[in-house]
Amino acid sequence: MELTLPKHVNPELIPMIRQGLLSPEKLAILSELHTIVERFAGSLYTDEETQKKILEKTGSIPDLITWGDYFQTEVASRYYLESEESLRRIVDTIRFDLISAHLIFSGKPDHYKDKIRADVLFSKGIDSALPNQNFESQHLEILLNYFENMEIGNKPLSLQDKAWYESFQIDEIAI
């Protein structure tokens, strides 16, 4: 029997769906995550050249093409045991971080980004002795990596995301 996937659900999730690990509610949340990430991503997770190489080598293209595909499968595989409410908080946290990356780094010169990287290197040196210090600079590095790897600055921030971000309550973030 052929399994029909809801819109924006990556085929990589089929085994988890068949095993009953992802409820329809969780699939809806994961589908929404895919849509959210695609609003921000200005590049593909697997670029076209890499896709061609994989096709030549294996005879098929990979299932993880977009950043939405990547985030959806990563979250599903890591957090499938979480409740729907917890999964929603995780997705909200990702959305918050993507918006933050856009707001913090769009239009900033390279020397600003280089300073963040230098601060992170310094922080990691300190953190080896005091591992609970300087989470802020490490989090900025994660946001900078999102910004650069996903090419977030290539798309404008939607009014929907801007309004959501401004109304967001910090205590809603999954920490």
Side-chain angles (χ1 to χ4, degrees):
M1 179 165 84
E2 184 71 25
L3 179 64
T4 305
L5 294 177
K7 188 176 180 181
H8 302 299
V9 174
N10 193 280
E12 286 288 318
L13 301 182
I14 291 173
M16 295 178 78
I17 295 168
R18 286 196 171 132
Q19 293 171 26
L21 299 175
L22 296 172
S23 68
E25 294 82 9
K26 287 181 180 180
L27 285 174
I29 294 167
L30 291 167
S31 179
E32 183 182 344
L33 172 62
H34 187 280
T35 301
I36 289 167
V37 171
E38 289 305 306
R39 279 200 307 268
F40 289 90
S43 66
L44 295 173
Y45 176 73
T46 306
D47 63 61
E48 292 178 16
E49 183 178 319
T50 303
Q51 290 176 46
K52 287 178 186 176
K53 288 178 184 176
I54 291 171
L55 178 62
E56 290 170 6
K57 192 173 188 176
T58 66
S60 62
I61 60 170
D63 286 329
L64 301 181
I65 300 290
T66 69
W67 283 100
D69 297 335
Y70 170 79
F71 273 84
Q72 182 181 74
T73 56
E74 188 71 15
V75 168
S77 63
R78 285 186 184 202
Y79 303 110
Y80 66 91
L81 293 175
E82 297 288 333
S83 68
E84 285 87 2
E85 181 181 323
S86 180
L87 191 61
R88 164 66 53 215
R89 282 194 308 272
I90 291 164
V91 169
D92 284 349
T93 301
I94 292 167
R95 184 178 184 186
F96 188 88
D97 280 355
L98 294 174
I99 295 169
S100 296
H102 196 293
L103 293 172
I104 292 168
F105 296 110
S106 286
K108 294 293 190 306
D110 286 341
H111 68 82
Y112 178 80
K113 297 170 192 170
D114 292 341
K115 182 181 179 336
I116 298 291
R117 286 186 192 92
D119 289 348
V120 168
L121 288 174
F122 179 74
S123 161
K124 286 181 179 177
I126 291 172
D127 286 347
S128 63
L130 303 167
N132 292 326
Q133 303 298 314
N134 253 335
F135 288 124
E136 183 179 330
S137 63
Q138 292 173 12
H139 191 234
L140 276 174
E141 179 185 38
I142 291 168
L143 298 181
L144 179 56
N145 287 337
Y146 284 166
F147 183 81
E148 291 181 334
N149 294 336
M150 296 173 65
E151 298 180 15
I152 288 176
N154 290 348
K155 292 183 178 179
L157 186 60
S158 73
L159 292 176
Q160 171 190 7
D161 288 317
K162 190 178 269 187
W164 179 87
Y165 186 84
E166 290 171 357
S167 69
F168 195 79
Q169 300 295 316
I170 285 296
D171 60 328
E172 295 177 18
I173 296 178
I175 297 178

